[in-house]
Amino acid sequence: MSFGNQIYAKLRGDRVIWMIVALLAIFSILAVYSSTTTLAYRNGGDTEAEMIKHVMFIMLGLFITYVCYLTPYVQYSRISPYLMLLAIPLLVYTIGFGVELNEATRWIRIPFTGMTVQTSDFAKLALIIYVARAISSKQEYIEDFNDAFMPIIIPILIICGLIGPSDLSTAGVLFFTCLLMMFMGRVSLKYIALLLFLGVVLFTFLVTFGTMFPELEIVRVDTWAERLEQFMDPHSEVFQVEQAKIAIANGEWFGLGPGNSIQRNYLPSAFSDYIYSIIIEEYGLIFGGLTILLLYVLLFFRCVSIVTKSPKAFGAMLALGLGLMLSLQALINIAVNVNLLPVTGLTLPLVSKGGTSVIFSSIAFGMILSVSRYIEKTN
């Protein structure tokens, strides 16, 4: 039996999702290695060092995926309140004392290491697990105010409200994900409408606060308005958007070939926010762009399949929430790359360079696979 067949025989759970994880990791290594020349030049000109660092994060992420896959998913329900208790102070600390990178305060520095962590990635996982637990604790149709407001709506508003000032796109994806989880979890439509209304109120408050106190630099209202205006103006020329268009045009159907990207030398964040453009430039629309898109779409449908097969409500809600989050984030990143949406700063899950993004995406994949492993064992 070949090594690949041995691995296939030992892995349990949804093997299609295992394949998606493996392919995304391979694309990530190839694309990041090709697109980090500018970053390596800024850091001393060592592309191999940047590559080794990223490969280490990918390998660590795959190991964490495997550990989360082996962990019974019911354990995540038990720790979800503690994750929320940790997430809220971390987000508050980030607002007050976070490290500013790329004109945004989304990171905190780990003492004695020099490393930074994006706290919103941790908070996303914590909230989705918590909402899955809150919804699944009530098996019947949730139409009681006490079962919907404090246990579900308030935590969503708190987490999204704390993420929103510095990272509106992440807060928006998380809010919409939780909204869909409530709908699929049979929460009364009046409470879903209430959450939507309160979300609008919260956004209005953030905009008003940022406009009244711009000197505090907490809410990035000016950045939001500038990006929206640039997107709506057909005559505006945003440098990174134009460079991404050129990269996609260069790639055509079959690409320039691995390592032959031209725009990696000009495109800001070619290894993170705009890595999809580099993938198309090197591998083409067919083997690069469509393949990546189909992998995330396939991930979503596999998660829906898990939902329909899961005998436990928490497992179904957990797989649905994490699958929605990963898929929505990927689709928005892709839409930004092809200029269908304004610039957001969202990364491509498990593909873009960035330790925090890779690690927490890996955890999400591992949790989904843990649910699918339980389903396979019970069938």
Side-chain angles (χ1 to χ4, degrees), residues 109-353:
R109 195 175 301 279
I110 301 176
F112 312 113
T113 65
M115 298 175 63
T116 55
V117 175
Q118 190 165 332
T119 52
S120 60
D121 284 328
F122 172 77
K124 284 191 300 184
L125 280 179
L127 180 61
I128 288 175
I129 299 170
Y130 182 85
V131 171
R133 170 193 168 105
I135 293 175
S136 62
S137 64
K138 300 292 181 180
Q139 294 291 319
E140 68 279 2
Y141 186 65
I142 300 177
E143 55 183 4
D144 187 86
F145 183 81
N146 294 329
D147 292 334
F149 190 71
M150 287 300 293
I152 304 175
I153 294 176
I154 291 299
I156 294 173
L157 293 174
I158 291 174
I159 295 294
C160 292
L162 291 173
I163 294 175
S166 61
D167 196 353
L168 181 64
S169 52
T170 295
V173 169
L174 184 59
F175 183 85
F176 189 62
T177 297
C178 293
L179 203 68
L180 289 176
M181 289 177 68
M182 290 175 64
F183 178 77
M184 295 298 293
R186 302 174 68 224
V187 176
S188 176
L189 289 178
K190 61 185 176 183
Y191 296 121
I192 296 176
L194 176 60
L195 174 61
L196 191 59
F197 170 74
L198 292 176
V200 173
V201 172
L202 176 61
F203 175 72
T204 304
F205 169 77
L206 291 177
V207 172
T208 304
F209 182 87
T211 304
M212 293 179 61
F213 305 101
E215 67 279 0
L216 296 178
E217 297 183 350
I218 294 177
V219 185
R220 306 174 68 207
V221 175
D222 292 340
T223 301
W224 303 345
E226 180 183 359
R227 288 179 175 177
L228 190 58
E229 289 172 4
Q230 290 172 342
F231 178 75
M232 298 299 293
D233 184 1
H235 302 293
S236 67
E237 295 184 359
V238 182
F239 182 76
Q240 57 190 5
V241 173
E242 295 301 315
Q243 297 306 311
K245 289 180 180 179
I246 294 172
I248 293 171
N250 287 342
E252 297 183 341
W253 292 106
F254 301 104
L256 301 177
N260 292 328
S261 170
I262 299 170
Q263 295 310 115
R264 64 187 177 186
N265 298 317
Y266 306 100
L267 182 59
S269 303
F271 46 84
S272 55
D273 298 359
Y274 282 90
I275 197 169
Y276 184 72
S277 302
I278 302 301
I279 290 174
I280 294 180
E281 185 179 21
E282 294 193 346
Y283 299 93
L285 181 62
I286 294 178
F287 297 111
L290 287 178
T291 299
I292 292 290
L293 176 61
L294 289 175
L295 286 175
Y296 287 110
V297 173
L298 182 59
L299 168 67
F300 172 73
F301 282 108
R302 297 307 297 181
C303 288
V304 171
S305 176
I306 291 174
V307 171
T308 60
K309 296 176 182 177
S310 177
K312 302 290 186 180
F314 174 71
M317 286 294 101
L318 182 63
L320 175 68
L322 295 175
L324 277 170
M325 179 190 71
L326 292 169
S327 303
L328 283 174
Q329 181 174 327
L331 292 177
I332 291 174
N333 175 274
I334 291 170
V336 169
N337 273 252
V338 299
N339 199 31
L340 291 177
L341 288 176
V343 177
T344 61
L346 289 174
T347 57
L348 198 58
L350 204 59
V351 176
S352 296
K353 186 179 186 298

Side-chain angles (χ1 to χ4, degrees), residues 20-21 23-32 35 54 58 271-272 275-276 279 292 295-296 333 347-354 357-358 361 365:
I20 292 172
V21 172
L23 289 176
L24 290 177
I26 292 170
F27 265 111
S28 178
I29 292 172
L30 294 175
V32 167
S35 59
H54 181 66
I58 289 291
F271 46 84
S272 55
I275 197 169
Y276 184 72
I279 290 174
I292 292 290
L295 286 175
Y296 287 110
N333 175 274
T347 57
L348 198 58
L350 204 59
V351 176
S352 296
K353 186 179 186 298
S357 175
V358 168
S361 295
F365 274 110

